[in-house]
Every structure is written in C-alpha cells, then in structure tokens.
Amino acid sequence: GYDRATGVDRLALRGPADVRGFLHLEGVPAGAYRLQVEAEGFAALTRRLQVVEGREARLPEPLVLAPPSRLELTLVPPQDPYGRPWEVRRWGAENEGASPWQRANEEGQWRSEPLAPGRYLVQVESGRDRYRQGWWSDTVDVAPGGTSQEIRLPVVEVVGTVRLGQEPLEAVVRFGKPHGGRTLRLDADPEGVFAGYLPEEGEWPVSVYTEPTGWRTLPVVQQAQRMHS
C-alpha cells in the first residue's frame, strides 16, 4: 500500500501471504493506505485501510480473489450526434481511482481491461476542451466471467434563438445541471440561432453570455424539441 494521507515518498510496503492466506506487516506508519493484493491467475483486488498509531489494523472481512473478468459495452447510437466517438472510463470499487479514457470503436463497442468482479461507476463522454460533453454515468455490476451490456444513450435536440429585445445576438448558451456538475455549451451565430443536443430530458438551467449584457441566467427550461430564448 502507500500513504495517501500525506503523500510522503509514496511509501510502499510489500509482503507475501502464507499458505493460509494470512498476511501480517509490522512497523507500518499511521496513515491512509491502499492495499492491493495480487496472485497469478487472479484479478488484482484493492481495498482502503486506515492505520492508527499504536493500534493493530484488521480488515473487516477476508479478501476473496477471483479470475479476471471484463466489462463489454455496446453504446447506441455508435457515435455521438456530432459524429464524434464515445469515450469511456470506469471508476473502481473502494475509490481506487479512474481508468484512462478509452474510445469506443466505430460500432460503439468498448471493452475494459481485466477486472475483479464487483460494482464499477462507468462514465461516457465525447468532444474536447470547452465542447466536452458528459452523456451518461451509472454503476454497472461486473459478474464473475464478465458482463456485456447495451447502453442506449439519450440524445435530445434543442434549437433556439437569442434576442435582446427584437434584435438577434451572437452569444454563448450554456446548459447546466445543478447536481452532477454537467455543463454543455452551444454557440449562437450572428443571427442568434443555436442548435445542438442534450444528454437527457428534464429541466435544464440556462445561462446566456452576450457582449452587451455579460452572463445572464434564464428561468429553468423544460426539455423540448424546439426552444427559444
């Protein structure tokens, strides 16, 4: 494991388990650790562990290793509505951290690296920089032997016009969810027209930026196929 509380020297301590699977390490400094268990032919397993000075730290339950499994996703549609590839990453159990972003192939298929069976948070995004969009996130259970799942991604079209009084304005239109931190940016042209897609139905808070007014927050907008601001 390593000391994540202080990050000092990224302390690493290693030791083998005996024939009964019992492991005992002495002289471990106090701190928060990530315990990783590896054995040939099995998926690595990670758990969090807090070590308190002067006390013995015990795991509340045995660590059970299993052969490696994979998570396979088929994303529908196979690309985002702008024709960009989907990108997927997963967060491991016990907050072990995120995998790198990986692109799904042209058929919308994505396959994880070998994993221990368990529950994972999976995220799907696309785009780059200020046009990066988060489309979907949820937990997925990976069973022993692997799990294959089809994910149907909601795509909701929005079209609108930005005006100041009766005059159309070039603007930035920002849709943002109050929970989850998702914000999506659409650009209105010199005629004030914007068009794009949202990743889910429902209410969306909207902010608009124009040079004459700066940022202004509009009333919450109900999802619809056509919207005017």
Side-chain angles (χ1 to χ4, degrees), residues 104-179:
N105 65 20
E106 294 181 355
E107 287 73 42
Q109 296 171 340
W110 174 87
R111 191 184 192 204
S112 75
E113 75 280 16
L115 300 171
R119 177 164 292 182
Y120 295 86
L121 172 66
V122 178
Q123 297 174 292
V124 179
E125 296 188 1
S126 67
R128 287 289 181 272
D129 302 324
R130 64 184 182 180
Y131 296 104
R132 183 77 171 180
Q133 288 186 237
W135 294 93
W136 184 86
S137 66
D138 204 351
T139 55
V140 177
D141 290 320
V142 177
T147 293
S148 297
Q149 186 168 331
E150 181 180 271
I151 305 296
R152 293 191 170 270
L153 297 157
V155 174
V156 181
E157 183 182 11
V158 290
V159 179
T161 304
V162 178
R163 293 189 179 94
L164 183 60
Q166 297 300 316
E167 295 297 320
L169 286 178
E170 189 171 1
V172 176
V173 183
R174 186 173 62 195
F175 290 78
K177 281 286 188 181
H179 304 292

Side-chain angles (χ1 to χ4, degrees), residues 16 21 49 62 70 83 101 108 172 180-181 217 226:
L49 182 64
R70 288 186 185 270
W101 287 103
V172 176
T217 300
R226 183 167 295 270

Side-chain angles (χ1 to χ4, degrees), residues 28-42:
V28 179
Y33 289 84
R34 186 177 71 182
L35 178 67
Q36 183 165 314
V37 182
E38 298 178 347
E40 185 176 354
F42 295 90

